[in-house]
Amino acid sequence: ESEDVAIPLQTASRANIHIRHGAGRLKIAAGTDHANLITGTVDGGLDCTTTMEGDTLNVAMAVPVKRFPDFGMPWMWGRRGTLDWNLYLIPSTALALHLETGASETQLDLSDLQVSDLRLQTGASSTQITLPEHAGDTHVEVHGGAAAIEIRVPEGVAARIRTSGRLSGIRVNAGRFVRDGALYESPEFGEAANRVEIDAEIGVGSLEIF
């Protein structure tokens, strides 16, 4: 059954969030609560630890290990007893996100969040990411296996993109990002106030950046 989540920001001005999620659905977006770092609901239980280091709050969230065997196959997904997580993050605090997902459907709407660092490691999954619009410099590192990954760079945000893996499975919008070998870059990247650097490696899956 679903349970509510509320993790206080405490006195932190920055946060590192590490999420380990299995099969199911994971959704992350900006919230409206300015007292809590994370709010939302989770199915399947939650193991969570928090520690303060100076002005940084470190949060580790994971599905309890005993639940992983119950959710190994996508056809077991449903409204009850699944690993469906809906999380809302505070929009006014600098964030670093580290996500590990399995056979999952993941939707990350980071457009209104202050994410400076995003690391994603995923397996046989479907992942859609919208990057921040007003976070200054953001670094993105993506490693995917048999995954279908879409990354949207908002209008007004410049990008420098490095890709590796099965070239036939990689598509980058060359109209916005000029190609030079395995490197793509916005013409205005050097002067942009908001920009992202993306390092992406895929296996037998697909990657689209637009």
Side-chain angles (χ1 to χ4, degrees):
E1 296 182 358
S2 294
E3 61 181 272
D4 293 332
V5 174
I7 299 176
L9 181 62
Q10 303 180 48
T11 59
S13 59
R14 300 183 57 85
N16 297 324
I17 303 172
H18 185 177
I19 297 174
R20 186 169 178 258
H21 185 264
R25 299 179 179 90
L26 172 64
K27 294 183 179 181
I28 295 177
T32 58
D33 189 330
H34 291 271
N36 289 301
L37 172 66
I38 303 172
T39 57
T41 58
V42 300
D43 295 340
L46 173 66
D47 283 342
C48 182
T49 61
T50 63
T51 58
M52 281 289 296
E53 293 184 8
D55 64 349
T56 301
L57 178 61
N58 299 310
V59 179
M61 305 175 70
V63 177
V65 174
K66 64 181 180 180
R67 298 306 302 257
F68 272 98
D70 299 335
F71 303 102
M73 301 300 172
W75 53 80
M76 299 178 67
W77 299 348
R79 290 183 59 83
R80 293 182 177 272
T82 65
L83 302 184
D84 293 353
W85 288 18
N86 296 284
L87 303 177
Y88 301 94
L89 310 185
I90 192 168
S92 57
T93 299
L95 304 173
L97 301 180
H98 180 192
L99 309 178
E100 298 178 61
T101 65
S104 62
E105 177 184 330
T106 302
Q107 295 181 3
L108 309 177
D109 183 357
L110 312 181
S111 54
D112 293 325
L113 294 172
Q114 302 300 309
V115 177
S116 60
D117 186 72
L118 171 65
R119 287 183 289 163
L120 172 67
Q121 184 170 347
T122 185
S125 66
S126 171
T127 303
Q128 297 178 329
I129 305 171
T130 299
L131 295 177
E133 293 184 357
H134 304 289
D137 288 342
T138 300
H139 180 256
V140 179
E141 186 174 322
V142 175
H143 297 276
I149 301 171
E150 295 182 0
I151 301 176
R152 175 180 174 267
V153 180
E155 292 295 332
V157 177
R160 176 181 289 158
I161 303 162
R162 301 177 185 87
T163 63
S164 60
R166 190 170 59 89
L167 294 180
S168 61
I170 298 175
R171 292 188 297 171
V172 178
N173 184 349
R176 291 187 62 189
F177 314 115
V178 179
R179 182 176 182 178
D180 182 8
L183 178 69
Y184 300 80
E185 186 173 308
S186 302
E188 71 280 12
F189 182 84
E191 298 78 29
N194 296 291
R195 57 188 183 179
V196 297
E197 288 200 58
I198 303 172
D199 290 287
E201 179 182 3
I202 65 165
V204 295
S206 63
L207 170 69
E208 183 176 4
I209 303 175
F210 58 96

